[in-house]
Amino acid sequence: MTFFERSLHAALLWTLTACAGSRPVPPRELPPTGRLRPIDAALAEAGYERVDDWMQAPVPPHGLSLVVEVPAHQCAAVLAIAPEHRRVTVTLARRAGPAQGNVGWLESCVEQAASLPFQVSSTPGTELALAAYVGPSAQAHETIQRLLASASAPPAPPPETAAPSPPPEEPPPPPEATVQNERRVRVDFLNTECAETSDLRASARARYEEARQALREGDLEAAAAGMTESYACVPDGTTLFNLAGIRARQGQYEEARRLYRELLTRHPNLPEARRREVEAALGRLREPGRLRVRTRRGDRVYVNGVQVRVGRRRASARVMPGRAKIVLVDAEDQRWTVEADVRPGRPTEVDPRQGSGPP
């Protein structure tokens, strides 16, 4: 699989969760200077490719959560570097990775495509350099160990305002370690109001009950916000299940599918009855809807950029649930563009001429 193909199937989601009184600071792109290039080069030789740019971010009070989307039969490795004399730990499902000096890392392999929620912890406020890699074989651990054994631990990441220039004689980075310019990292901030106490469950329960009350009142957006905040305090499977259901009711079918898949991945010990509910919901959300577009003689119709067959009075296409873009072009090349919410397994009628018309 080429780097481009892998980039289509592997994405890195950076989620920073913090409680009241501590605003998340966006991760910043960290240029791969001479301090970081040897790591990229060594892992590239082992078959691992960096998912996206090196990032620099401070540690919130309750740590960082990096969810790495890993393709089937692939391995993911997360590497974190702290300033000197600071320790950093990377964990996954309560399994802590090795650490040496100011460097922590962990790798994990999957048989089927999965979202792996890596947790990174260090002293709050510590500036970390972070990167994630995807590769076909479990060799990142030995590679990093050899790299650290052959030299001292990598220095601290450069300050935000003064990234040192590489020495003139330094060779350019190897081609396989180069990252494409297109961004493949989505940064989500869960700006919760969890109490900064050890009793996070009480805060999570309060947000959960507020969300249930909003749901009873029909305020889906407030209910989704409350469930999101509750899950940020305590990642409970029931909360995530409810959030996915709310997103489905809002018509955000793609997001609902993502949340259901995350539920199966991050909570593998779900009760069998709940697991069947999730799988049934995913099945319903994957069922295409029938989109019917009213047309006239000579019209051409495009749905999400794909031309569809036009009958005598309408064009019809099976479309995955979610937001669909419909473009109608008449015989005189006038154009109408509308969007429609396609529901799972249900027909949706659209008349583009009643929507936005030609300029």
Side-chain angles (χ1 to χ4, degrees):
M1 181 181 292
T2 65
F3 180 80
F4 177 74
E5 291 170 334
R6 184 173 297 151
S7 69
L8 296 178
H9 300 284
L12 177 63
L13 307 180
W14 303 80
T15 304
L16 281 69
T17 60
C19 292
S22 56
R23 287 184 170 273
V25 178
R28 301 175 296 280
E29 179 181 338
L30 192 60
T33 63
R35 301 179 176 190
L36 304 177
R37 284 176 180 166
I39 301 172
D40 284 349
L43 287 171
E45 290 179 2
Y48 273 78
E49 293 179 290
R50 183 152 40 86
V51 175
D52 211 280
D53 298 315
W54 276 89
M55 302 293 288
Q56 183 174 1
V59 179
H62 299 288
L64 300 172
S65 176
L66 284 69
V67 183
V68 185
E69 301 288 345
V70 188
H73 307 295
Q74 296 280 305
C75 302
V78 166
L79 179 67
I81 305 176
E84 293 186 39
H85 311 301
R86 293 286 181 92
R87 296 189 62 82
V88 59
T89 304
V90 182
T91 60
L92 176 64
R94 298 184 180 179
R95 178 169 66 92
Q100 181 172 330
N102 58 332
V103 181
W105 70 93
L106 182 61
E107 71 174 334
S108 184
C109 302
V110 298
E111 291 295 324
Q112 298 179 345
S115 302
L116 298 184
F118 291 87
Q119 303 292 322
V120 182
S121 58
S122 185
T123 305
T126 300
E127 291 277 344
L128 298 180
L130 302 159
Y133 300 82
V134 171
S137 59
Q139 297 184 13
H141 174 70
E142 295 180 359
T143 301
I144 295 172
Q145 277 192 324
R146 287 197 303 268
L147 183 66
L148 295 178
S150 63
S152 59
E160 177 184 1
T161 56
S165 302
E169 64 274 9
E170 184 178 346
E176 59 269 21
T178 302
V179 176
Q180 298 180 4
N181 292 329
E182 182 182 357
R183 297 293 300 168
R184 294 182 309 283
V185 174
R186 193 182 83 199
V187 182
D188 293 333
F189 300 105
L190 304 180
N191 223 348
T192 72
E193 296 179 356
C194 297
E196 285 193 349
T197 69
S198 58
D199 192 7
L200 291 177
R201 288 195 173 277
S203 296
R205 170 57 61 180
R207 303 298 178 273
Y208 183 83
E209 293 301 332
E210 291 170 3
R212 291 186 61 187
Q213 180 61 33
L215 194 58
R216 286 191 288 267
E217 295 172 357
D219 191 344
L220 296 181
E221 192 56 45
M227 291 294 177
T228 300
E229 292 179 354
S230 175
Y231 191 76
C233 294
V234 176
D236 180 77
T238 299
T239 306
L240 191 57
F241 176 80
N242 289 330
L243 177 58
I246 293 170
R247 291 308 187 194
R249 289 179 59 181
Q250 290 179 303
Q252 300 182 24
Y253 303 118
E254 184 176 351
E255 176 66 6
R257 289 194 295 268
R258 186 189 71 79
L259 291 171
Y260 280 129
R261 290 194 298 268
E262 182 178 342
L263 177 60
L264 294 175
T265 301
R266 302 190 69 171
H267 300 274
N269 297 322
L270 283 175
E272 186 59 31
R274 177 53 55 84
R275 179 173 293 276
R276 286 197 296 267
E277 285 185 81
V278 174
E279 292 172 347
L282 274 173
R284 290 191 297 269
L285 290 172
R286 293 190 185 108
E287 184 179 354
R290 176 66 66 175
L291 181 63
R292 296 168 180 166
V293 184
R294 295 183 182 180
T295 61
R296 301 175 184 173
R297 184 187 298 272
D299 286 350
R300 303 190 305 276
V301 174
Y302 302 84
V303 177
N304 293 334
V306 178
Q307 187 171 4
V308 300
R309 182 177 177 275
V310 178
R312 293 183 61 185
R313 295 183 178 179
R314 64 167 59 93
S316 181
R318 288 169 61 85
V319 181
M320 284 295 292
R323 197 77 171 163
K325 180 179 179 181
I326 303 100
V327 178
L328 184 147
V329 183
D330 68 9
E332 297 180 355
D333 285 336
Q334 288 187 327
R335 182 182 300 258
W336 287 261
T337 301
V338 295
E339 291 187 350
D341 290 316
V342 180
R343 295 166 294 178
R346 303 280 296 279
T348 302
E349 295 277 350
V350 177
D351 186 354
R353 286 183 168 86
Q354 300 301 318
S356 59

